[in-house]
Amino acid sequence: MARISLRQLLDHAAEHDYAVPAFNINNMEQGLAILEAADQVSAPVIIQASRGARQYANDIMLAKMIDALVEMYPHIPVCMHQDHGNSEATCATAIQHGFTSVMMDGSLEADAKTPASYDYNVAITRRVVDMAHWIGVSVEGELGVLGSLESGQGEKEDGHGFEGVLSHDQLLTDPAQAVDFVRLTEVDALAIAMGTSHGAYKFTRKPDGDILAMGVIEEVHRRLPNTHLVMHGSSSVPQDLQDIINQYGGEMPQTWGVPVEEIQRGIKFGVRKINIDTDNRMAMTGQIRRILTEHPDEFDPRKYLKPAMEAMRKVCRQRLEEFGTAGHAPQIKALPLSAMAKRYASGELSPKFGAHAKQQAAE
Ligand code: G3H
Ligand code: 13P
Ligand code: ZN
């Protein structure tokens, strides 16, 4: 059984200069597509469930599904991660259901809408880190609010994210504050706000540095070279997937996502986890639309879910190859969470700061 903690996986990725995509899961088809892709290219993988996914699928169903996937693919290290936890309770119940990693998103208050104060973020993230590390589970934190640098809008989607206009300061992670945040919370990974947002409608043109601030990643990495960075909202929204949806009756306005080459640049600057949901949603939806349009007499869900799974598997495989994750599964021997807990207790996994951060602390 190869269920792995986020920390162990991202430490391996950092050591070998690659990153790991974190694919969202809501149902069996997505789980099978992710693991088939990982198996085809011998890659470790992160599967993540949002609060919405947990409500949709039911915690027990999700937990048993992950058990099944891990049993079917025992040679693939699988990290099971809570996406955008909004409270201590959300993180605790995820751990109860076998998650090996949680995100405590304290950039927003518990309503997952209102931008939180820095002090609130530090305090709640620290509490979750204490609880999780006692039992060897990893924690991702977030500093800065996700949203568009083009419009200044937060990214309210499916009940998550701020609705309204934010200042540039709120939309961009402050690198100096990131050092302080990691020191105070001891998170295992840090999500950076730099102009990405969830969903398909990220940019109205191919993004440049004004609206996709990769420079923030570079500066945070310069100050925190040993901290694993996370890019949210990192679907690339490929043109061919937009075209398939629209060719078969969809009405998606033209849009742009995060170009893969920008993510690859981020990987050179400490990005180790890349969150992808929208691309997979679009891949599945395109095939479902195609089958139902071409065969309007069809009513067996397997007839459209199988091509949908196949399209999602292709996207997952492509990202595992593009991010350098492919080929690394056989090198990793997943440690049980009890061993990770001992490593945290010994101080071995406490944050290590580069010269620049030490200088900042002294000032
Ligand atoms: O956090 C964003 C992911 O795309 C999950 O979306 O909350 O609609 O499941 P969701
Ligand atoms: P996308 O909507 O770009 O796929 O981002 C997903 C995400 O960040 C989940 O946390
Ligand atoms: Zn996200």
Side-chain angles (χ1 to χ4, degrees):
M1 297 277 176
R3 206 178 286 235
I4 191 171
S5 68
L6 183 73
R7 178 60 186 269
Q8 190 195 348
L9 180 51
L10 298 193
D11 280 351
H12 187 269
E15 199 183 325
H16 297 272
D17 297 320
Y18 69 94
V20 188
F23 299 119
N24 286 78
I25 186 173
N26 295 272
N27 59 31
M28 178 194 79
E29 285 74 15
Q30 292 174 320
L32 289 173
I34 295 166
L35 263 295
E36 278 169 22
D39 182 45
Q40 283 182 350
V41 298
S42 292
V45 74
I46 302 165
I47 303 181
Q48 58 186 8
S50 65
R51 286 190 299 136
R54 288 177 59 187
Q55 274 159 17
Y56 173 79
N58 182 295
D59 276 343
I60 297 170
M61 183 63 79
L62 259 183
K64 304 274 181 198
M65 235 153 53
I66 303 306
D67 282 347
L69 292 169
V70 169
E71 188 175 336
M72 287 163 71
Y73 296 93
H75 50 293
I76 300 296
V78 176
C79 169
M80 186 60 209
H81 176 80
Q82 166 74 55
D83 193 20
H84 293 283
N86 65 324
S87 67
E88 296 96 324
T90 299
C91 295
T93 52
I95 294 169
Q96 252 176 342
H97 286 97
F99 288 43
T100 55
S101 177
V102 293
M103 175 185 195
M104 178 57 238
D105 181 356
S107 72
L108 300 172
E109 292 184 3
D111 63 4
K113 291 181 173 70
T114 312
S117 71
Y118 179 65
D119 289 347
Y120 171 94
N121 193 355
V122 168
I124 196 165
T125 306
R126 178 73 226 193
R127 283 199 294 278
V128 171
V129 166
D130 283 340
M131 168 188 73
H133 286 184
W134 287 331
I135 49 174
V137 167
S138 320
V139 180
E140 173 187 338
E142 174 169 325
L143 190 59
V145 181
L146 298 181
S148 164
L149 293 171
E150 266 186 291
S151 63
Q153 289 286 333
E155 49 118 47
K156 185 178 170 348
E157 211 215 18
D158 291 352
H160 182 100
F162 179 66
E163 188 175 11
V165 175
L166 293 157
S167 70
H168 257 53
D169 282 359
Q170 290 173 294
L171 287 167
L172 294 172
T173 301
D174 174 347
Q177 201 174 51
V179 175
D180 192 55
F181 185 80
V182 170
R183 187 187 309 283
L184 293 172
T185 61
E186 305 206 356
V187 285
D188 299 285
L190 180 65
I192 303 294
M194 20 79 84
T196 63
S197 54
H198 296 127
Y201 304 105
K202 302 180 194 302
F203 305 108
T204 62
R205 58 184 162 90
K206 186 168 191 264
D208 55 21
D210 288 344
I211 55 176
L212 177 60
M214 295 302 294
V216 173
I217 295 269
E218 293 181 19
E219 185 53 25
V220 173
H221 180 61
R222 194 172 72 81
R223 292 172 189 246
L224 288 171
N226 300 309
T227 299
H228 304 310
L229 306 184
V230 182
M231 283 177 70
H232 279 251
S234 288
S235 277
S236 301
V237 196
Q239 190 63 49
D240 61 324
L241 296 183
Q242 296 182 47
D243 291 345
I244 294 175
I245 288 175
N246 286 336
Q247 184 184 345
Y248 293 102
E251 291 187 5
M252 289 189 69
Q254 178 63 45
T255 180
W256 280 264
V258 182
V260 166
E261 60 272 21
E262 295 295 342
I263 297 170
Q264 289 168 329
R265 188 150 77 90
I267 295 171
K268 296 199 175 79
F269 292 95
V271 170
R272 300 289 162 228
K273 172 174 180 279
I274 297 135
N275 287 12
I276 295 174
D277 187 0
T278 296
D279 285 352
N280 287 328
R281 291 177 171 186
M282 289 177 65
M284 296 187 90
T285 298
Q287 289 309 309
I288 293 169
R289 281 195 170 280
R290 181 178 70 78
I291 299 290
L292 293 181
T293 307
E294 286 177 349
H295 306 280
D297 57 330
E298 190 52 72
F299 58 86
D300 177 351
R302 291 170 300 186
K303 292 291 191 324
Y304 52 85
L305 288 176
K306 206 162 167 35
M309 275 165 64
E310 171 62 12
M312 173 160 165
R313 184 196 58 71
K314 268 195 201 150
V315 172
C316 293
R317 178 178 174 155
Q318 199 178 340
R319 297 293 177 267
L320 289 164
E321 285 171 337
E322 289 163 339
F323 302 161
T325 336
H328 287 290
Q331 302 161 354
I332 302 171
K333 186 166 171 1
L335 291 171
L337 292 183
S338 55
M340 290 302 290
K342 284 195 186 124
R343 294 182 70 203
Y344 285 117
S346 74
E348 185 193 335
L349 299 178
S350 299
K352 293 182 183 58
F353 296 98
H356 193 284
K358 282 190 188 134
Q359 188 191 330
Q360 182 184 311
E363 279 164 8

